[in-house]
């Protein structure tokens, strides 16, 4: 019978951009007695958690739009694990069940909830989005209705159901159909999952873009018929759109934009035909410039997505049946105790070749297995995250100490505007090591008062 055998620990960040691992709740004693469980709740021993781009942003920048880290905050929302305690009111789950955790809590009263679009709940509490703590812990209490049974599916695949849900929501709302010519912008985890989904839906031709040749190579591995387009610095959005259309053999019906980068959205708009659609999954700057007249004169629909709703049962079926295989996307694995190193690896994806980094709560022979990763073929100075480039960093007082990863990042940031002139106006960054380090100090221990 599974039970709590180790102290609970979690992965924290704070407004000062520190990152550390320390004790967390519920405590082992609370898990064993069940005294912290509320009606309808279960305790999950988290086994595997993926690092999302939003986790990196909350750590390094302290916010995503209006969602701001104001206190010590636990990260993580892509998790799977095992039920180890059940409140007496719960009848649908039992101790020992393997589950994937949908990280939501809704009111069930507002119009979005009552019409089935609960991702727009007016009182949504989404785990890892401030001020709601996330799942990067050894044990978590959560409502049973948001714990989906995964049977004998691996915990790694279970953790990947959350980003897969993002892609599935996009496929459904973009209405991708058999034979549709489709463009996917961005070959990160969501872009690659969207490629898998579009391929399974029968889209043809399929074109995928990125600045990183390594990620485009992975796209060809998981979908050999995909046509890859490497984004080049200095190419205008009109030129990029024309080149992408030529690669596809004609204008595309739909573009799935997964990067959230302004220039990429614009290129997508120039890639689709009259009456086409650009569907934006990616998250970017609060304010952007778009080619309005191109949208207007070509009657192109520009549509957006916020998370997902009602996708998890479908995601589970697709993975369990083998229709979708996401294993190639996992490039690195770390223990929960080594979470800081995991975040460093994910944040420095241009150097490490990371696509999806998983943090596992128990020892595994697969931990820190980097066999799937390959260094990028693009110079690091050209590969600082585009989303980082589009996001203002808060000013902080300088702090001591800086890691090699941060030194590399400083070099990348200092060259970013020159390396990517086509990405539009960029914020100005201070190249002083101490100034940049003040935004990205990494700590294994919590801040001292």
């Amino acid at each position: 019978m599974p039970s709590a055998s180790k102290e609970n620990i979690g992965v924290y960040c704070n407004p000062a951009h520190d990152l550390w691992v320390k004790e967390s709740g519920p405590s082992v004693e609370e898990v064993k007695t069940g005294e912290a469980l509320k009606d309808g709740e279960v305790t999950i021993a988290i086994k595997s958690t993926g690092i999302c781009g939003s986790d990196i942003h909350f750590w390094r920048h302290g916010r995503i739009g209006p969602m701001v880290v104001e206190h010590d905050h636990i990260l993580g929302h892509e998790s799977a694990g095992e039920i180890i305690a059940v409140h007496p009111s719960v009848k649908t789950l039992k101790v020992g069940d393997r589950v994937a955790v949908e990280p939501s809590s809704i009111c069930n009263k507002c119009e979005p909830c009552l019409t089935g679009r609960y991702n727009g709940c007016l009182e949504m509490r989404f785990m890892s989005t401030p001020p709601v703590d996330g799942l990067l812990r050894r044990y978590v209490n959560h409502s049973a209705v948001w714990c989906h049974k995964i049977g004998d599916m691996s915990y790694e695949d279970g953790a990947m159901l959350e980003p897969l849900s993002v892609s599935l929501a996009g496929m459904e709302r973009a209405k991708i159909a058999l034979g549709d010519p489709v463009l996917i912008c961005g070959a990160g985890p969501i872009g690659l999952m969207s490629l898998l989904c579009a391929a399974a839906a029968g889209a043809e031709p399929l074109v995928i873009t990125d600045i990183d040749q390594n990620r485009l190579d992975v796209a060809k591995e998981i979908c050999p018929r995909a046509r890859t387009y490497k984004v080049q610095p200095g190419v205008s959005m009109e030129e990029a759109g024309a080149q992408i259309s030529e690669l596809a053999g004609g204008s595309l019906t739909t573009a799935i934009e997964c990067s959230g980068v302004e220039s990429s959205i614009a290129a997508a708009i120039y890639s689709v035909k009259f009456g086409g659609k650009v569907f934006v999954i990616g998250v970017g700057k609060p304010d952007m410039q778009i080619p309005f007249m191109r949208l207007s004169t070509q009657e192109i629909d520009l549509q957006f997505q916020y998370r997902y709703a009602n996708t998890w049962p479908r995601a589970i079926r697709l993975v369990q049946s083998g229709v979708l295989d996401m294993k190639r996307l996992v490039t690195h694995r770390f223990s929960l105790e080594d979470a800081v190193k995991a975040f460093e690896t994910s944040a420095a994806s241009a150097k490490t070749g990371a696509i999806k980094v998983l943090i596992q709560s128990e020892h595994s022979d697969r931990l820190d297995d980097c066999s799937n990763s390959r260094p990028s073929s693009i110079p690091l100075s050209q590969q600082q995250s585009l989303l980082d480039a589009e996001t203002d960093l808060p000013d902080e007082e300088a702090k001591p100490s800086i890691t090699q990863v941060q030194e590399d990042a400083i070099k990348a940031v200092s060259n970013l505007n020159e390396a990517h002139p086509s990405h539009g106006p960029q914020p100005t960054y201070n190249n002083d090591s101490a100034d940049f380090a003040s935004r990205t100090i990494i700590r294994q221990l919590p801040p001292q008062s």
Side-chain angles (χ1 to χ4, degrees), residues 66-141:
M67 298 166 282
V68 181
V69 176
E70 297 180 342
H71 309 283
D72 290 359
H73 178 65
I74 301 175
L75 297 166
H77 58 267
E78 304 176 2
S79 299
E82 183 180 19
I83 302 296
I84 59 173
V86 178
H87 189 275
S89 61
V90 175
K91 307 301 180 185
T92 56
L93 293 172
K94 64 182 184 302
V95 172
D97 282 343
R98 300 160 64 91
V99 297
V101 183
E102 185 170 354
S104 306
S105 178
I106 63 175
C107 72
N108 282 308
K109 298 177 182 178
C110 66
E111 181 179 346
C113 286
L114 295 177
T115 56
R117 299 184 66 183
Y118 59 80
N119 54 313
C121 174
L122 301 180
E123 299 180 23
M124 168 68 77
R125 291 176 57 82
F126 193 88
M127 302 185 81
S128 82
T129 297
V132 184
D133 281 333
L135 293 168
L136 260 173
R137 288 175 270 177
R138 188 165 277 132
Y139 315 115
V140 175
N141 293 339

Side-chain angles (χ1 to χ4, degrees), residues 9-11 21 136-138 334-339 359-361:
I9 55 176
V11 182
V21 178
L136 260 173
R137 288 175 270 177
R138 188 165 277 132
F334 295 88
S335 69
L336 184 58
E337 291 81 359
D338 288 332
I359 296 175
Q360 299 172 332
S361 300

Side-chain angles (χ1 to χ4, degrees), residues 267-446:
I269 292 170
Y270 278 97
S271 300
V272 298
K273 67 180 184 179
F274 182 91
K277 174 182 289 187
V278 175
F279 189 90
V280 183
I281 296 177
V283 178
K285 297 189 302 183
D287 300 295
M288 296 187 184
Q289 291 184 337
I290 60 172
F292 174 84
M293 288 307 299
R294 168 72 180 179
L295 289 167
S296 177
T297 60
Q298 297 299 302
E299 291 192 359
I300 295 169
D301 293 337
L302 182 60
Q303 194 172 353
F304 298 86
Q305 174 178 331
Y306 188 58
R307 296 176 180 150
Y308 43 74
N310 306 304
T311 54
W312 291 70
R314 182 180 302 179
I316 291 170
R317 291 195 298 270
L318 289 169
V319 176
Q320 285 183 329
S321 65
V323 172
L324 297 180
D325 185 352
M326 305 176 289
K327 293 180 178 61
R328 175 63 183 88
L329 306 188
V330 179
T331 55
H332 298 76
R333 301 168 180 87
F334 295 88
S335 69
L336 184 58
E337 291 81 359
D338 288 332
V340 170
K341 184 178 178 183
F343 270 77
E344 287 182 283
T345 300
S346 183
S349 60
K351 181 177 181 179
T352 64
I355 296 177
K356 179 58 68 174
V357 177
L358 294 182
I359 296 175
Q360 299 172 332
S361 300
E362 293 185 354
H363 177 75
S364 167
D365 292 337
R366 305 183 72 185
L367 288 182
D368 207 7
D369 172 13
C370 303
S371 57
N372 283 341
S373 65
R374 291 178 294 180
S376 172
S377 59
I378 295 180
L380 181 61
S381 62
Q382 296 183 17
Q383 293 231 15
Q384 176 72 8
S385 164
L386 291 179
L387 193 54
D388 287 351
E390 302 276 358
T391 305
D392 290 330
L393 297 177
D395 291 323
E396 300 285 346
E397 295 181 0
K399 296 182 181 180
S401 179
I402 185 166
T403 68
Q404 183 61 49
V405 171
Q406 292 161 348
E407 291 175 352
D408 291 337
I410 292 164
K411 295 176 184 177
V413 170
S414 67
N415 294 315
L416 183 61
N417 289 339
E418 180 180 354
H420 292 293
S422 66
H423 292 153
Q426 307 293 344
T428 300
Y429 292 84
N430 191 326
N431 192 36
D432 179 75
S433 298
D435 181 74
F436 189 81
S438 71
R439 303 178 176 118
T440 56
I441 293 295
I442 303 171
R443 303 176 67 175
Q444 188 68 40
L445 298 174

